[in-house]
Amino acid sequence: MPEPIDSLLHDASGKDRGLRRAAEDGLVAIGPQVVESLLPHVGIASRSLLKWSAESVLKRLGDEALPRLREIRRHGPGRLRGNALKVLVDLGGAECLDEVDRRTVERLVRIKLLDELPVQTPSEGGRWLAFPADRLDDAVAALGLHDLRPVTTVMGVDATTRAADSMEFKDSSGRARTAYRVFITPEFESWSSALAISNWRMLWGNSFIDELDGFMQADKLSKHCGEAHLYLLDPYHSAENWYVARNGRRVRGYGTYSDPEFLGQPLPFEIEYRENAVDEEEAEQYAEGVPDALTAAFNLSVEPGPMHADGTHGHGWLATTHPDVPNSRFRGALSI
């Protein structure tokens, strides 16, 4: 390793913020020559300062780093090839991979799909839509989705709740647009015997639901699929929402900070909770309806979290909302 790079890496791992920033600036100034020296550190599992500095420098190098990363993928050193693949996708999306690497990733996904059960969806917080599993084609048409690709649940959740799930671009007329990425889960059996619909799919996509109005998307889905739900869990603000639409119209909804909290008439499962209350405190809790989004999800569709293997069918799909922006253009390496 050239002495200046060695010295800058030492400074980039120190606790002095000013010295660390100066070292990062120096590494960026050297250019793609530093890529090989930085790659061993981006795979470090611990939150070391050098890991963050190495990733910051590579991100600032951007397109300048891509040729060297591709060269390492093809010719080594072998110990760096895995990290080079991750950084390539982080910097430029899967479209930066060559044909060999693209086929390799697709093969890994296919292999993992054969043995991915049981799967898990986020249950601590988040937002998702739910619709009848047998209406997948209708849901895709209703939301105008494109480039559907089979993915593992880990990969789909990662793509739509952690990695970049929206991207600004210019369409053929030069107008600024935003494309979103969404994940549609496998089919999950409902464990509530009262439901007429037994299998459901969830749709995850933080930016899609936040920026395109999840309530409106639920209405749109229900118009094409007969029924659709929106669930929101926000632990930071101690807020929950759940919303049911049928045939394009709102049926029932609850929001912690809505005024009024409940909209529409209580659904049968809510009446049961009220009538089966074990004491006055529980009766008061359910006097107007069920405020808990996970309880509503369990009774209306499926509750997220660990999903039973014998109640999970098929695989999930990753899709985008614009034909000009396929999944390969979204940046960020995903877990498989």
Side-chain angles (χ1 to χ4, degrees), residues 37-281:
S37 301
L38 295 174
L39 280 181
H41 306 289
V42 299
I44 297 175
S46 64
R47 297 188 175 186
S48 70
L49 293 175
L50 186 51
K51 169 185 171 67
W52 304 128
S53 289
E55 291 178 348
S56 175
V57 171
L58 287 166
K59 184 176 181 180
R60 289 171 63 185
L61 286 173
D63 291 348
E64 284 187 71
L66 298 181
R68 179 59 184 136
L69 290 167
R70 293 192 187 98
E71 184 179 352
I72 291 172
R73 280 296 301 165
R74 296 281 65 82
H75 305 294
R79 61 187 174 83
L80 299 181
R81 294 183 69 203
N83 285 354
L85 178 64
K86 175 187 181 300
V87 176
L88 270 170
V89 181
D90 280 339
L91 295 182
E95 68 179 5
C96 284
L97 303 180
D98 63 21
E99 187 61 28
V100 173
D101 278 339
R102 280 196 291 271
R103 288 200 302 267
T104 298
V105 172
E106 290 170 359
R107 184 168 63 252
L108 286 173
V109 173
R110 289 196 301 270
I111 292 172
K112 184 61 178 177
L113 283 173
L114 297 175
D115 188 32
E116 73 161 338
L117 299 179
V119 304
Q120 180 164 333
T121 54
S123 58
E124 299 300 319
R127 46 285 217 193
W128 70 98
L129 295 159
F131 62 91
D134 62 353
R135 305 300 293 271
L136 175 61
D137 291 343
D138 293 319
V140 169
L143 301 179
L145 301 181
H146 303 271
D147 190 33
L148 269 71
R149 299 189 182 189
V151 294
T152 64
T153 297
V154 169
M155 190 175 180
V157 170
D158 207 22
T160 54
T161 65
R162 181 197 62 80
D165 64 342
S166 66
M167 187 178 120
E168 295 183 357
F169 70 103
K170 289 187 177 180
D171 62 18
S172 56
S173 65
R175 186 174 64 163
R177 302 283 298 275
T178 302
Y180 300 89
R181 186 160 58 174
V182 302
F183 169 58
I184 299 175
T185 69
E187 297 185 23
F188 298 132
E189 291 183 14
S190 170
W191 293 91
S192 175
S193 59
L195 288 173
I197 302 171
S198 59
N199 286 15
W200 294 80
R201 289 183 186 266
M202 301 177 186
L203 184 148
W204 294 82
N206 287 354
S207 296
F208 175 79
I209 291 175
D210 287 345
E211 297 176 20
L212 296 184
D213 189 341
F215 297 95
M216 185 176 70
Q217 300 306 321
D219 288 341
K220 188 185 300 183
L221 267 177
S222 74
K223 187 175 182 179
H224 288 74
C225 302
E227 181 164 343
H229 312 153
L230 169 68
Y231 303 96
L232 303 172
L233 294 176
D234 184 356
Y236 183 81
H237 294 101
S238 300
E240 301 189 25
N241 290 73
W242 60 270
Y243 177 83
V244 177
R246 291 174 182 154
N247 301 314
R249 295 187 177 185
R250 181 191 71 206
V251 171
R252 180 66 164 162
Y254 167 81
T256 303
Y257 299 119
S258 299
D259 186 18
E261 291 183 336
F262 287 95
L263 295 173
Q265 297 301 310
L267 297 174
F269 85 92
E270 296 180 273
I271 296 173
E272 289 184 15
Y273 270 75
R274 184 177 63 203
E275 293 179 345
N276 295 331
V278 297
D279 53 35
E280 290 185 5
E281 182 179 351

